[in-house]
Amino acid sequence: MFGIPGKQAVTLTPAASAQISKLMARGETQGLRIGVKKGGCAGMEYTMDYVSDVDPHDEVVEQDGARVMIAPMAQMFLFGTEIDYEVSLLEAGFKFRNPNVSDACGCGESIKFKDVEELEAERAARD
């Protein structure tokens, strides 16, 4: 919907693809739907849900056997994001490297997106 022809809305690292594929194999799921919602200290939070049916309005990204659906409302916020899966001694989870984020809270649970004027200025500087 907000994409550039020939370019995926989001990309998955090999670790993220492997983890999503593993989750898909566990049950009757078509993949993971990624979205954003209001919340947290910085104003917005990512959401991830198992999906049994693909919504025709979702942006579908398939990579190495993994399937991610991006909710329509979230597509403009997530375009250009790389999704990784990291494991450390204390935690494991998906990490979003999103070029549209201007700030994040200290705990890393919520984010703030750049405003339209800032995104337009960055695009003009690249062109």
Side-chain angles (χ1 to χ4, degrees):
M1 181 176 247
F2 291 97
I4 296 173
K7 182 173 169 116
Q8 293 189 128
V10 300
T11 57
L12 306 172
T13 65
S17 293
Q19 183 64 22
I20 292 169
S21 295
K22 189 185 307 182
L23 293 170
M24 287 173 61
R26 286 186 184 168
E28 300 293 320
T29 182
Q30 295 292 313
L32 294 177
R33 178 174 290 123
I34 299 171
V36 294
K37 68 177 184 175
K38 290 183 179 185
C41 328
M44 300 290 280
E45 297 176 326
Y46 294 113
T47 62
M48 294 185 87
D49 298 298
Y50 293 107
V51 176
S52 57
D53 294 313
V54 179
D55 185 309
H57 297 104
D58 285 347
E59 177 79 22
V60 178
V61 175
E62 295 186 88
Q63 188 176 318
D64 301 324
R67 184 178 302 117
V68 172
M69 284 70 79
I70 304 170
M73 186 185 130
Q75 291 172 11
M76 66 181 168
F77 297 111
L78 294 175
F79 191 77
T81 298
E82 178 186 66
I83 301 171
D84 193 10
Y85 187 79
E86 296 178 356
V87 178
S88 71
L89 289 174
L90 299 175
E91 65 181 359
F94 290 100
K95 303 294 180 190
F96 292 74
R97 294 186 187 97
N98 187 336
N100 306 308
V101 170
S102 65
D103 198 11
C105 69
C107 65
E109 292 296 318
S110 66
I111 58 223
K112 178 181 177 188
F113 293 105
K114 297 175 184 174
D115 60 25
V116 174
E117 291 82 20
E118 190 175 353
L119 291 170
E120 287 175 349
E122 286 179 3
R123 184 181 311 167
R126 283 192 308 255
D127 296 340

